[in-house]
Amino acid sequence: MPLPRIPYEFESVAEDEMLARAEAFYKKMEQRRSVRDFSDRPVPRELIERAIQTASTAPSGAHMQPWTFVAVSDPPLKRQIRTAAEKEERESYDGRMSEEWLEALEPIGTDANKPFLEIVPWIVVLFAQRSGLREDGTKRKHYYVQESCGIAAGLFIAALHEMGLVTLTHTPSPMRFLSELLERPSNEAPYILFPVGFPATNATVPDLHRKPLKEVAIWK
Ligand code: IYR
């Protein structure tokens, strides 16, 4: 049955104001960086809640909202995640990743050590739900799960940046250990792990540059 339909509350914005907002938002987002040097400064749970709610406004296939965010602050659990992630990462860096892949990562300077997984106040793991459950408990297929979760992840990152926190899209591979440690059901697959917190006072980031508009956009 179609849902009842309600008027869309459209906020009309004057064109000069639209441009001003566009510039301001771009400038803000252009300052976002993936950070790997984190501080142990605590982050109130409410901020993480708001970021997850914002991520959860993402459009999704047939509005199935096929995501679960697991937010971890428990130190022993963070330590277990670090240990398991570093074990997989060592195997990846020491053989599973191709020479070409390792070369591509060289400018970024990553390695198998992930101390931030123990230092950060929060680890948020986004799980993608391949299927969900109907009210009667039967399985309900989800659609465009990867796309939906990708969009939710983008909104999550933007929300954290807006509130003055930093994060990193960490994808230890394979990520099955996260399903086990976080006790997630088999219909969910780990999608991205986000360490969330404040940067360390001496944090550095690689001096990388974003492609200019003319390299990423084509006009017809
Ligand atoms: N998952 C590994 C390797 C890695 C892969 C890519 I592609 C990156 O952009 C960064 C890292 C790690 O987290 O170190």
Side-chain angles (χ1 to χ4, degrees), residues 17 23 85-86 106 114 124 141 162 172 176 189 196 199 211:
E17 172 65 12
E23 295 289 357
E86 287 183 333
E106 221 177 273
K114 309 296 174 190
V124 179
K141 192 176 157 32
E162 170 67 18
R176 272 186 302 277
V196 180
K211 289 180 180 175

Side-chain angles (χ1 to χ4, degrees), residues 11 20 40-41 45 62 64 87 89 183 186 211:
E11 177 212 15
D40 62 2
R41 179 175 159 195
R45 172 176 159 151
M64 295 289 174
K87 182 168 171 282
E89 293 290 79
E183 301 174 297
S186 61
K211 289 180 180 175

Side-chain angles (χ1 to χ4, degrees), residues 36 89 93 97 101 105 108 110-112 114 169-173:
R36 289 178 171 78
E89 293 290 79
Y93 279 87
M97 288 155 80
W101 190 349
L105 279 179
I108 317 286
T110 58
D111 60 29
K114 309 296 174 190
T169 48
H170 180 40
T171 51
S173 172

